[in-house]
């Protein structure tokens, strides 16, 4: 009789991590946010947690890193909880772009001023302006509290070095934000909205905490360990759909074919993914491929998904 899946994962994961780690030398760490260029290029770590709270991890899981674009999944959910679907989709679209995450190209070409989706930078900046709160401090505080609740870690906080490093160099994001403001997509002052955005991108997290957040999405908004509903099911459905169609930048189609799971990556090399109803998964591998996804992380997820037949498609 074959071993239960979790035991097989536990037995095989260390070897798969070491095999996938070989890929790190073919990628690069992000450097356009200067502080991120200090990330360890050869690192790879993964943490899985199941519905009963049983976890398995392998590799460099002690490493903490900034959420970057992974945070966009949760600011989208919070904006939906604050404003409802209609108000959110008045300001952002629902379609993948096929362009880079920081591209401005289609902002002007198609629907004037409305970003294609909430996971590209322009869309996530628009979403930051929809978070409820009387000022940027209160908005950012609400986002941080939401991340703390979902990750089950009240100590989660910003990496202020990364925050300052991004804020000081974000000319492209700034230009996009001004463009959005001019088109009536952004509410409030541009710098205030950007501050909320840079702060949520700079929240420092570990693989175990990402896995815990993913576990809530894997259970349609319910924390299976406590039975508490943290997110309405409909908003998890929306978030998971965007993760599937746009979560891995313009390699989302390839990832859907090779791995077949909803996922979101960030330029720090983090990936949050999940197996619906079963596992939350958090991963870090700062060496990125040409599309901006963790090169070793994607290889490891391909191995896991293909070995255990996790693809949803
Ligand atoms: N803070 C990053 C930026 O705006 C996030 C990008 C990402 O992780 O994709 O450039």
């Amino acid at each position: 009789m074959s071993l239960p899946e979790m035991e097989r994962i536990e037995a095989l994961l260390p070897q798969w991590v070491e095999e996938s780690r070989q890929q790190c030398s073919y990628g690069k760490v992000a450097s356009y946010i200067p502080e991120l260029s200090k990330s360890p290029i050869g690192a790879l770590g993964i943490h899985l947690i199941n519905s009963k709270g049983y976890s398995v991890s392998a590799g460099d899981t002690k490493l903490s890193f900034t959420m970057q674009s992974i945070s966009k999944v949760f600011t989208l959910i919070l904006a939906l909880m604050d404003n409802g679907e209609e108000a959110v989709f008045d300001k952002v679209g629902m379609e993948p772009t096929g362009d880079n995450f920081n591209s401005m190209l289609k902002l002007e070409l198609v629907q004037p001023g409305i970003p294609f989706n909430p996971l590209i930078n322009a869309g996530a900046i628009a979403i930051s302006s929809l978070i409820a709160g009387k000022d940027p401090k209160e908005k950012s505080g609400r986002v941080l509290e939401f991340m703390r609740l979902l990750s089950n870690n009240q100590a989660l906080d910003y990496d202020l070095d990364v925050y300052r490093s991004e804020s000081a160099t974000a000319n492209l994001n700034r230009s996009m934000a001004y463009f959005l403001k001019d088109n009536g997509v952004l509410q409030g002052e541009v710098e205030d909205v950007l501050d909320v955005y840079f702060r949520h991108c700079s929240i420092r997290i570990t693989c175990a905490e990402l896995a815990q957040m993913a576990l809530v999405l894997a259970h349609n908004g319910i924390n299976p360990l406590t039975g508490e509903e943290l997110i309405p099911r409909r908003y998890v459905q929306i978030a998971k759909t965007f993760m599937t169609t746009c979560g891995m930048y313009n390699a989302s189609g390839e990832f859907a074919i090779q791995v077949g799971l909803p996922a979101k990556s960030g330029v720090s090399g983090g990936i949050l993914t999940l197996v619906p109803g079963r596992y939350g998964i958090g991963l870090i591998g700062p060496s990125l491929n040409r599309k901006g996804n963790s090169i070793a992380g994607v290889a490891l997820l391909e191995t896991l998904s293909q070995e255990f037949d996790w693809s949803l498609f």
Side-chain angles (χ1 to χ4, degrees), residues 32-33 68-69 72 101 121 166 173 197 201 249 265-267:
Y32 75 98
I33 298 175
Q68 298 301 335
S69 275
K72 296 172 181 173
F101 66 97
N121 284 4
E166 176 163 18
N173 281 336
Y197 175 77
C201 287
Y249 305 117
S265 67
V267 285

Side-chain angles (χ1 to χ4, degrees), residues 89-104:
F89 293 116
D90 196 40
K91 304 287 184 203
V92 294
M94 300 183 185
E95 305 302 336
T97 61
D99 299 329
N100 286 341
F101 66 97
N102 56 7
S103 173
M104 296 186 73

Side-chain angles (χ1 to χ4, degrees), residues 173-295:
N173 281 336
R174 249 184 205 100
S175 61
M176 263 184 253
Y178 278 101
F179 182 86
L180 294 176
K181 175 76 182 172
D182 200 58
N183 280 275
V185 176
L186 281 200
Q187 319 289 314
E189 293 301 317
V190 169
E191 281 302 328
D192 288 352
V193 175
L194 284 171
D195 194 68
V196 175
Y197 175 77
F198 298 144
R199 280 185 188 275
H200 71 67
C201 287
S202 77
I203 294 172
R204 187 162 271 282
I205 200 152
T206 62
C207 291
E209 288 153 2
L210 275 189
Q212 180 62 45
M213 296 176 94
L215 188 68
V216 176
L217 301 184
H219 289 83
N220 293 319
I222 293 174
N223 178 351
L225 310 177
T226 60
E228 196 185 347
E229 188 188 83
L230 302 178
I231 307 168
R233 183 188 171 97
R234 170 69 180 157
Y235 299 152
V236 177
Q237 183 184 41
I238 292 172
K240 287 195 291 195
T241 308
F242 279 121
M243 289 165 73
T244 307
T245 56
C246 331
M248 299 298 282
Y249 305 117
N250 52 350
S252 299
E254 188 182 339
F255 189 85
I257 288 170
Q258 303 296 359
V259 180
L261 298 173
K264 181 73 200 92
S265 67
V267 285
S268 53
I271 301 179
L272 174 151
T273 185
L274 56 108
V275 182
R278 301 176 67 195
Y279 306 116
I281 302 174
L283 180 154
I284 180 65
S287 181
L288 307 179
N289 62 22
R290 274 180 301 151
K291 297 284 175 74
N293 295 310
S294 170
I295 191 165

